[in-house]
Amino acid sequence: MSTRARAAKAARNAGVRYTVSVLSAHAHLFAVTLRIEQPAKNQRVALPVWIPGSYLVREFSQNLQQLRAWQNGQPVALRQLDKHRWQAQAEAGEPLELRYEVYAFDASVRTAFLDASRGFFNATSLCLRVLGQEDTPHALELLSGEATAGWQVATGLTPQTVDAQGFGHYLAEGYDELADCPVEMGRFWSASFTAGGVEHRFVVAGAGEWMDGERLIEDTRKICETQIAFWHGQQPPPFSRYVFMLYASADGYGGLEHRNSTALICQRADLPRTPAPGEKPAALKATDGYTTLLGLISHEYFHTWNVKRLRPAEFARYDYDSENHTELLWFFEGFTSYYDDLMLRRAGLIDDATYLQLVAKTLNQVQQTPGRLVQTVAEASFDAWVKYYRMNENTPNATVSYYTKGSLVALCLDLTLRAEGHGSLDAVMRELWQRCEGGPMREADVLRALKRLGQRSYEGEIAAWVHSTDELPLPSLLQDHGVKVAHDKAPLAQQLGLRVSETGGSVVLKTVLRGGAAEAAGMAANDEWLGVEFAPAQRGGEAEAEAWRLHKLDELPPLRARRAKLTALVSRDKRLLRLPLDWPTESFTVRLAVGDAPKLASWLN
């Protein structure tokens, strides 16, 4: 039997088989058929309520409709058990077929999207789980048709029998693998490269013809080679192929990691542009959108090891029916956030000065978050389901990001290990990979690896940096490694304790930060700051009050001159309020620069 014939037979013999087609691109509807070869009596099915890597219950079942079932050619009654589970009144043994539709119009990386130009889905949004058969082989057939004429397919799933465009049969070892391999369909740009002996495919949907694909591929290849060498040296990575799926939109950003692929979104303007004849590609700067995109690519690729394989013990087996809590997101997201930009530096894509600007940006973000003194980064990890992914106007006052502070914890550990002459965090990460065999791990494993390589206990540091709200000792650690630490005057909004939106000539308060001058004055989120009023001044023997309209915050200092007090005129729920505001004392942001280049090189290179 030929390889192609064996592959076709494997797909046909899968115990759980899905067929996905475009029902209506304009109505954004996928049609799905689920065939269960050996159902249980009264077989139950369920759609996940969340997708691994994005820690929020998203209720994907809200988009499922027209669910029907048949057995032996006869309709089978279905009973809905709760928000995402159904039970078919079926007999055991005879094939059971379910058909349904899924509305797909969310362009994020987490769910599903469909229109006349593009289709994308995660199986967690489209494919009902067959309870009790999650570990049997699962087959997926992607049907082509009039709506998909000219489209291609990209996915990390193992192809069985597919056409030149990628439509056809795919096979997964079980539901977990199916859920971990998103599918991109449409007219996209595509190119491939080899890193670590493994073929990597990069597809971009929504890009303009001006995109510099050669640069994108070459820069991504450098990132991949650097990371594979980081984890494995000259050994091959733990996957045989990899797919980057990037959607370029007018205004979007995000990524979601998978076992051998990643789904990404960026702003179209952030893609590299083909240089004019004779023009050299511009050097990357910390403020460039393309630098941000490369950092995202680096972040999600690093997750291939750090969270998809080396992962919290609580994620040893995903529970798709409810929240999966862990206190270790500071490690899996935070440490990945530390290494994403560092890998850009080690790959030679940015220089020392640019990298330090990126570190300073993270340091200032944490320092400008009052919630860092309220919530530990371990608590932030556990509370991701109800706090980080459910942000509101009070989020900066009550929480800290396990991404940003977690990355600074990694930086502290790395610099401390290096200062004490006991290796680096690089060695700790590789030790954990070997110790946990690329599988589930606990905080105790981190402590054991630190103790073995650092030759002392690091329980005190982990207690202070992870399980308390103590400040991190970064300034001294950075200076000891050749970094010059300076301070600049903070932007006015930060000095006032505000985060604002300035559009259309209107200053609207998004967040009033805890302990700031704006909070002391009684300002609140959603207030519109209309203007300012100053106390009467003597002019020619008469007292005159001054009142000025405010269109943006930068207009305030010249109006204020040297006066210490002013009255803010704000609109709240259509009521006009006069709020006395004491001018704050100056505050500062951190600026990092190269101080001792040779000393710095021992860390960054």
Side-chain angles (χ1 to χ4, degrees):
M1 183 181 296
S2 68
T3 301
R4 185 179 180 88
R6 284 196 299 271
K9 183 178 180 181
R12 288 195 302 270
N13 291 342
V16 179
R17 294 160 55 189
Y18 303 88
T19 301
V20 175
S21 62
V22 173
L23 177 63
S24 173
H26 295 308
H28 317 294
L29 290 173
F30 282 109
V32 183
T33 298
L34 166 58
R35 182 178 173 87
I36 308 168
E37 295 297 334
Q38 295 288 329
K41 184 178 177 61
N42 297 327
Q43 177 69 58
R44 294 186 175 189
V45 295
L47 198 66
V49 303
W50 71 291
I51 181 170
S54 184
Y55 307 107
L56 178 67
V57 171
R58 297 187 184 274
E59 315 293 21
F60 299 133
S61 61
Q62 66 182 304
N63 294 315
L64 190 149
Q65 61 191 45
Q66 298 290 338
L67 179 60
R68 302 288 186 270
W70 287 266
Q71 192 173 41
N72 292 322
Q74 298 298 315
V76 171
L78 284 166
R79 182 164 67 93
Q80 186 162 0
L81 303 176
D82 53 30
K83 64 183 180 182
H84 70 294
R85 294 185 305 154
W86 294 263
Q87 179 173 291
Q89 294 182 7
E91 297 301 322
E94 294 295 326
L96 175 66
E97 187 171 278
L98 294 90
R99 301 173 198 164
Y100 54 96
E101 303 165 5
V102 175
Y103 176 74
F105 202 52
D106 180 350
S108 76
V109 297
R110 302 177 296 264
T111 54
F113 178 85
L114 178 65
D115 68 6
S117 63
R118 174 180 179 256
F120 172 84
F121 67 86
N122 291 283
T124 44
S125 291
L126 254 68
C127 298
L128 288 163
R129 289 163 51 233
V130 181
L131 302 187
Q133 298 194 37
E134 292 91 342
D135 295 329
T136 65
H138 283 49
L140 173 67
E141 182 181 11
L142 300 174
L143 294 181
S144 60
E146 183 178 350
T148 61
W151 286 18
Q152 301 177 72
V153 173
T155 180
L157 285 170
T158 302
Q160 299 299 296
T161 53
V162 299
D163 62 21
Q165 288 69 46
F167 288 93
H169 296 87
Y170 293 84
L171 191 65
E173 61 186 14
Y175 190 86
D176 281 345
E177 182 181 4
L178 182 71
D180 215 9
C181 294
V183 174
E184 175 75 34
M185 302 185 294
R187 297 180 181 88
F188 48 67
W189 177 90
S190 178
S192 296
F193 62 90
T194 299
V198 171
E199 181 179 1
H200 292 64
R201 185 184 185 190
F202 205 125
V203 304
V204 184
E209 293 184 359
W210 43 261
M211 184 186 75
D212 188 347
E214 290 185 8
R215 185 179 187 187
L216 178 63
I217 287 297
E218 179 59 18
D219 292 346
T220 303
R221 182 189 62 78
K222 291 177 180 178
I223 292 169
C224 295
E225 288 181 340
T226 301
Q227 293 196 18
I228 291 171
F230 172 89
W231 288 102
H232 305 290
Q234 299 299 315
Q235 300 300 311
F239 47 86
S240 58
R241 63 189 179 284
Y242 194 92
V243 184
F244 292 95
M245 290 169 275
L246 173 62
Y247 174 51
S249 66
D251 185 17
Y253 177 81
L256 192 60
E257 67 276 1
H258 299 282
R259 63 179 65 190
N260 68 341
S261 65
T262 181
L264 308 163
I265 295 178
C266 75
Q267 292 187 32
R268 199 170 288 115
D270 291 344
L271 293 170
R273 290 181 172 270
T274 302
E279 180 186 8
K280 293 183 179 180
L284 290 174
K285 299 179 181 178
T287 54
D288 288 345
Y290 183 47
T291 305
T292 302
L293 171 58
L294 291 179
L296 176 65
I297 290 170
S298 180
H299 183 98
E300 302 305 338
Y301 194 69
F302 199 85
H303 270 320
T304 310
W305 292 268
N306 195 41
V307 89
K308 294 311 302 182
R309 289 171 173 82
L310 189 65
R311 61 193 184 276
E314 295 89 344
F315 293 176
R317 185 67 186 261
Y318 294 121
D319 178 358
Y320 295 99
D321 295 327
S322 63
E323 297 89 342
N324 290 213
H325 292 285
T326 177
E327 287 192 344
L328 284 174
L329 294 183
W330 60 269
F331 179 91
F332 290 100
E333 291 292 355
F335 281 39
T336 299
S337 295
Y338 171 59
Y339 277 107
D340 54 21
D341 289 335
L342 185 57
M343 290 295 167
L344 299 187
R345 174 65 195 92
R346 292 182 178 176
L349 296 174
I350 57 176
D351 59 19
D352 291 351
T354 300
Y355 175 70
L356 292 177
Q357 289 174 35
L358 293 170
V359 174
K361 179 181 177 181
T362 301
L363 181 55
N364 286 320
Q365 285 175 338
V366 174
Q367 288 301 116
Q368 293 162 18
T369 303
R372 77 186 191 283
L373 304 175
V374 176
Q375 184 187 53
T376 71
V377 73
E379 292 169 341
S381 300
F382 196 87
D383 285 341
W385 298 86
V386 294
K387 292 190 176 181
Y388 185 82
Y389 279 89
R390 296 186 187 275
M391 293 186 181
N392 58 34
E393 71 284 348
N394 192 51
T395 294
N397 295 321
T399 71
V400 67
S401 167
Y402 48 80
Y403 285 91
T404 53
K405 186 173 180 182
S407 73
L408 297 183
V409 170
L411 175 57
C412 285
L413 288 171
D414 196 6
L415 298 185
T416 300
L417 286 164
R418 292 173 184 273
E420 295 177 356
H422 297 306
S424 66
L425 190 62
D426 300 2
V428 172
M429 300 300 288
R430 290 189 285 267
E431 166 84 3
L432 286 168
W433 178 263
Q434 296 296 326
R435 174 186 292 275
C436 300
E437 299 180 340
M441 67 161 242
R442 303 179 185 277
E443 186 177 298
D445 295 306
V446 180
L447 288 168
R448 279 193 290 268
L450 286 168
K451 184 175 183 178
R452 195 184 81 80
L453 294 168
Q455 300 181 25
R456 68 170 179 84
S457 172
Y458 277 75
E459 290 185 4
E461 283 82 356
I462 295 299
W465 301 344
V466 174
H467 295 285
S468 86
T469 57
D470 293 352
E471 298 284 19
L472 301 176
L474 271 172
S476 59
L477 286 170
L478 287 166
Q479 289 170 339
D480 290 343
H481 285 80
V483 179
K484 181 180 179 181
V485 181
H487 296 87
D488 295 324
K489 186 176 178 180
L492 180 56
Q494 181 183 331
Q495 293 191 55
L496 292 169
L498 288 173
R499 294 181 183 178
V500 303
S501 171
E502 297 178 325
T503 57
S506 178
V507 179
V508 177
L509 312 190
K510 296 169 59 179
T511 296
V512 177
L513 297 174
R514 189 72 70 244
E519 182 188 57
M523 291 183 171
N526 301 317
D527 283 355
E528 182 182 3
W529 194 344
L530 300 173
V532 289
E533 183 178 75
F534 299 102
Q538 289 295 132
R539 289 186 181 175
E542 295 183 6
E544 295 181 359
E546 291 185 44
W548 297 87
R549 181 74 169 92
L550 198 63
H551 296 283
K552 53 185 179 180
L553 281 186
D554 287 344
E555 297 173 346
L556 190 53
L559 294 174
R560 170 183 168 260
R562 295 182 178 277
R563 289 169 285 202
K565 290 183 178 294
L566 58 88
T567 298
L569 307 176
V570 306
S571 170
R572 180 183 304 165
D573 193 26
K574 295 189 177 181
R575 294 170 56 221
L576 298 180
L577 304 176
R578 299 174 75 252
L579 304 177
L581 175 67
D582 290 331
W583 197 256
T585 56
E586 285 190 346
S587 59
F588 299 90
T589 60
V590 170
R591 176 167 44 86
L592 305 180
V594 178
D596 185 328
K599 188 179 293 187
L600 185 63
S602 67
W603 161 34
L604 298 186
N605 294 337

